[in-house]
Amino acid sequence: MRKWAVALAALWMVMGSPPVSLGAEGVTLPKDLPLPTDASVAIYLPKHIREFRNPFRSGGGFQTTNALQLGASFEELTLGAAQHFFKTSFMYEPTGTPAFGLLVAIHPSLKREDQQVIATAHYQVYDGGGASLMQGDTLIRWAPGSPARGPDYLGNLSEQAITRALTEIVAQLRPTASKYPSQGEAAVKIEKLIDREHPAVSGTGFFLNRSGQILTAAHVVHDCASVDVHYGKDSVAATTTANSALLDLAVLETHANSEHFLRLRDHAELAESVINVGFPLQTLMTDTPTVTRGTLSSRAGLSGSVGQFQFSAPIQPGASGGPVVDVRGNVLGVAVGTLNASELLKSGVLPQNVNFALESRYVEKFLQQHSVLFTEGSADAHAPGEVSIDEVLPAVVSIKCYQ
Amino acid sequence: MLSIASHALARAGRATWTWGLVALLALIAAVSRADDNPPPAGPAAEPSALVLPTVALRGDGAGIELYDALHASPLLAHLSKEAPGSPIQLLVYHTVRPAHVDAKNVFSGLAAVATLGLSPVVMSGEHSMHYELYVNGQQVLRREYTANLSRKEYLNSKAADATHGLGPDGEVWAKSTVDLFLKDLAHDPAVRAMNEEYQLYFGNAVSGAAPPAVPTQH
């Protein structure tokens, strides 16, 4: 059986890959417009798409480069589709993008709905001077039983959605180099291109002082084109002013007037009660904080980790950067991760409430290193003065990263 | 049999979608084997006193096979296959970028089918060993060493491929990339900066053992 499968694959190899088909249903390409056109196009794809990688399976045999580095493959696939329409096409970069006649910002997505896989591509088009020309959405469905092109049918669905978007653009704008000449100094700023409806990453943070400086996890704000902080009914833009990938910490500057902020306490005790405040699952839940209780269950984290403790208060995706506080509202640590339950389940283990936080003493050292003002709380774990959670909540913020 | 053009690439550039070859390669892919033997006393040259803290090794079969060679270097003396919580992770893996379908491949493929596997398929392609160093998911260093390899594969071979798709000559080549990587690692300014920051916060701490598990960021 195996050799016949291999033989079939060998024959398939001889046949090669299917060509990309031009055009799209319901859209007619102008016959008098020679393709590829001489207009040049820059294409913007969000960074989290460009850098997306297939989950790496340890010890799973070798794979093709494209199967692993999906983001890079997607970039190539997009440029490949563009080359059918434009003689000159390249990726837009925030700095150093060559002159272009058109800029197409594409926000692709994939979702499952009623056993169908739906690929969409929202697009916006600007000329070289920054004027908005058009925008639209394309949608391609794949249902079980439909013919799929090879193992990467998801990539092919996205490719079809992008090809359809480019077809619509060319059909409507009939771009040529004389109509849309390349312009040297790009007038289109990245703020115009980002998707403000769907944050690429969301997380949690908390105010460190009255000056509006916020502490969060570095991975929440890594590679964001724009960061928004939401607290109470307010929302402000934020910029990263200090960052450590090693500690997974970042400080955000908001210039907000923060009456409420949290104090740090650097000597946590084993088995003491802890509370985690976070904004998890922000695409599903309302934008209100979630509070969970537990204990500091171990002074050490996973094998190989440094500076972490383990706590049992449940956390969900989106809780990263949130404070783990004692009963007096002092920050004992910053939530940075949990065990990957789905991976462990494959080996028959179901972990429960095994979560990790970076100890406050490393947070303090990081803040001192970057001259960020903070206040130390009482080091005594048994000091009186239990506070209501209502005193903690106003200092905790929701963070959204856009690309 | 083996033509090697070994060089570091900043980034992979071309896409070659040949589904048949992908499927063919996937079908003959071997299951990897973890080797927990202590490292041999062999040399691994890098002219530096730099010693990195605990680095967790992750990889595919071909990557994990290089553990001993990597661990033998003082630079990676704290490399571990069982430190999933380490903020520093080294990912080592092998990929194949299938060559264009040339006459040799086509003929051998057809011959293999016609002889029901008695004749071998000659497969050629650009093989790469990837080394990627991450700190909490952020890439610090990435190196890719490539070689054009061709090897014979029998369709009716039932034995698992202990070379993880590299072939005997490819295995030798893969091991030769370790020294190239160690030199790049030792001289990279971002790696040195990462090590200095580690020393600043954690000193010479090398974390102890605990049951292996899989972390995820939230």
Side-chain angles (χ1 to χ4, degrees):
Chain A
M1 187 64 189
R2 181 171 176 262
K3 68 186 174 190
W4 284 112
V6 175
L8 188 63
L11 280 176
W12 199 354
M13 173 187 77
V14 174
M15 290 159 63
S17 57
V20 175
S21 60
L22 277 183
E25 286 175 29
V27 183
T28 308
L29 283 166
K31 289 180 181 170
D32 57 340
L33 179 67
L35 292 178
T37 167
D38 58 358
S40 64
V41 65
I43 296 178
Y44 171 83
L45 283 175
K47 201 150 188 174
H48 73 276
I49 297 281
R50 294 175 70 181
E51 294 186 350
F52 184 73
R53 297 179 60 109
N54 215 9
F56 195 85
R57 294 195 178 120
S58 185
F62 65 91
Q63 300 187 61
T64 60
T65 313
N66 287 335
L68 273 176
Q69 296 163 3
L70 284 178
S73 297
F74 197 83
E75 197 177 307
E76 291 168 358
L77 174 151
T78 303
L79 286 176
Q83 281 164 12
H84 293 282
F85 298 94
F86 299 92
K87 281 182 184 166
T88 308
S89 57
F90 43 85
M91 299 308 297
Y92 173 92
E93 305 290 348
T95 55
T97 302
F100 54 80
L102 290 176
L103 172 60
V104 180
I106 302 176
H107 291 277
S109 67
L110 282 167
K111 64 176 180 179
R112 289 186 185 276
E113 195 175 283
D114 296 333
Q115 296 193 329
Q116 290 187 330
V117 179
I118 300 173
T120 59
H122 174 72
Y123 63 89
Q124 305 152 273
V125 188
Y126 300 89
D127 67 15
S132 176
L133 300 175
M134 65 180 290
Q135 62 177 322
D137 294 276
T138 60
L139 183 149
I140 303 286
R141 291 176 189 275
W142 181 87
S146 303
R149 287 171 164 186
D152 183 31
Y153 73 95
L154 294 179
N156 281 295
L157 278 179
S158 299
E159 181 184 20
Q160 288 178 48
I162 288 169
T163 300
R164 184 171 292 190
L166 293 170
T167 306
E168 290 177 5
I169 292 164
V170 169
Q172 182 167 329
L173 299 179
R174 301 171 60 86
T176 60
S178 56
K179 192 175 177 184
Y180 298 106
S182 294
Q183 300 200 18
E185 196 61 39
V188 187
K189 299 299 175 201
I190 196 165
E191 287 75 18
K192 277 187 173 179
L193 308 177
I194 60 182
D195 179 0
R196 286 219 160 260
E197 288 181 18
H198 306 100
V201 182
S202 59
T204 305
F206 59 92
F207 284 113
L208 286 165
N209 49 44
R210 291 188 201 281
S211 307
Q213 287 177 306
I214 287 168
L215 188 71
T216 187
H219 74 265
V220 171
V221 292
H222 179 56
D223 272 343
C224 304
S226 171
V227 175
D228 282 357
V229 170
H230 301 259
Y231 60 105
K233 292 177 181 172
D234 294 320
S235 171
V236 291
T239 52
T240 303
T241 54
N243 177 61
S244 169
L246 179 67
L247 299 176
D248 199 6
L249 290 179
V251 173
L252 305 181
E253 193 75 62
T254 65
H255 301 296
N257 236 337
S258 48
E259 287 180 24
H260 302 274
F261 60 90
L262 299 182
R263 293 172 169 76
L264 305 182
R265 195 192 114 203
D266 64 2
H267 286 92
E269 290 195 358
L270 196 60
E272 80 170 280
S273 295
V274 298
I275 300 163
N276 176 245
V277 185
F279 287 85
L281 305 169
Q282 291 189 33
T283 53
L284 296 174
M285 315 289 275
T286 55
D287 217 0
T288 53
T290 301
V291 178
T292 56
R293 281 181 178 273
T295 57
L296 196 154
S297 39
S298 171
R299 288 193 187 282
L302 279 171
S303 170
S305 68
V306 277
Q308 293 184 0
F309 64 78
Q310 183 183 321
F311 65 99
S312 63
I315 65 172
Q316 310 293 338
S320 272
V324 178
V325 299
D326 64 15
V327 293
R328 282 166 302 284
N330 298 312
V331 177
L332 299 174
V334 176
V336 291
T338 185
L339 279 188
N340 189 331
S342 58
E343 280 297 316
L344 283 172
L345 202 53
K346 291 175 190 168
S347 54
V349 179
L350 179 60
Q352 292 187 330
N353 302 328
V354 183
N355 309 309
F356 306 103
L358 182 74
E359 290 178 45
S360 275
R361 63 179 164 137
Y362 298 103
V363 175
E364 291 182 4
K365 196 164 184 178
F366 167 74
L367 296 175
Q368 286 162 349
Q369 197 69 22
H370 294 277
S371 304
V372 177
L373 188 67
F374 67 93
T375 307
E376 282 187 279
S378 166
D380 184 359
H382 307 286
E386 186 165 335
V387 299
S388 159
I389 194 67
D390 289 339
E391 293 183 39
V392 174
L393 291 183
V396 183
V397 303
S398 153
I399 295 169
K400 290 177 180 170
C401 159
Y402 297 97
Q403 291 181 355
Chain B
M1 178 63 78
L2 174 68
S3 90
I4 295 179
S6 186
H7 55 278
L9 293 177
R11 199 172 180 88
R14 290 167 290 142
T16 315
W17 291 100
T18 308
W19 304 116
L21 190 52
V22 172
L24 181 62
L25 293 172
L27 280 166
I28 60 171
V31 176
S32 70
R33 172 179 63 87
D35 186 354
D36 286 318
N37 291 332
E46 78 281 349
S48 168
L50 182 67
V51 180
L52 295 179
T54 303
V55 176
L57 175 66
R58 294 176 62 219
D60 62 1
I64 297 295
E65 285 287 344
L66 299 179
Y67 170 78
D68 287 347
L70 291 163
H71 193 204
S73 160
L75 181 60
L76 291 173
H78 303 300
L79 185 70
S80 171
K81 290 187 277 187
E82 294 182 352
S86 171
I88 306 171
Q89 305 243 338
L90 176 62
L91 185 59
V92 185
Y93 60 96
H94 164 227
T95 62
V96 177
R97 202 173 278 277
H100 65 280
V101 180
D102 60 18
K104 187 170 69 174
N105 287 345
V106 171
F107 179 78
S108 69
L110 292 174
V113 173
T115 61
L116 295 181
L118 292 176
S119 172
V121 181
V122 176
M123 295 190 307
S124 58
E126 187 182 85
H127 290 243
S128 298
M129 286 305 301
H130 303 257
Y131 295 82
E132 299 173 4
L133 190 72
Y134 292 89
V135 175
N136 280 322
Q138 292 187 28
Q139 197 169 75
V140 177
L141 177 75
R142 175 180 174 182
R143 289 292 183 272
E144 180 182 337
Y145 308 97
T146 65
N148 291 311
L149 305 174
S150 63
R151 55 174 302 213
K152 292 176 181 175
E153 183 68 30
Y154 289 91
L155 299 185
N156 56 2
S157 168
K158 288 191 166 63
D161 181 4
T163 71
H164 310 286
L166 282 160
D169 293 337
E171 261 191 320
V172 174
W173 164 75
K175 201 165 182 181
S176 75
T177 65
V178 168
D179 281 348
L180 298 174
F181 170 67
L182 289 171
K183 280 179 188 162
D184 287 347
L185 185 69
H187 292 105
D188 191 87
V191 174
R192 287 188 172 270
M194 175 200 76
N195 192 55
E196 283 168 16
E197 189 185 15
Y198 191 99
Q199 300 304 324
L200 171 71
Y201 288 110
F202 304 116
N204 292 316
V206 176
S207 51
V214 186
T216 185
Q217 287 182 329
H218 271 212

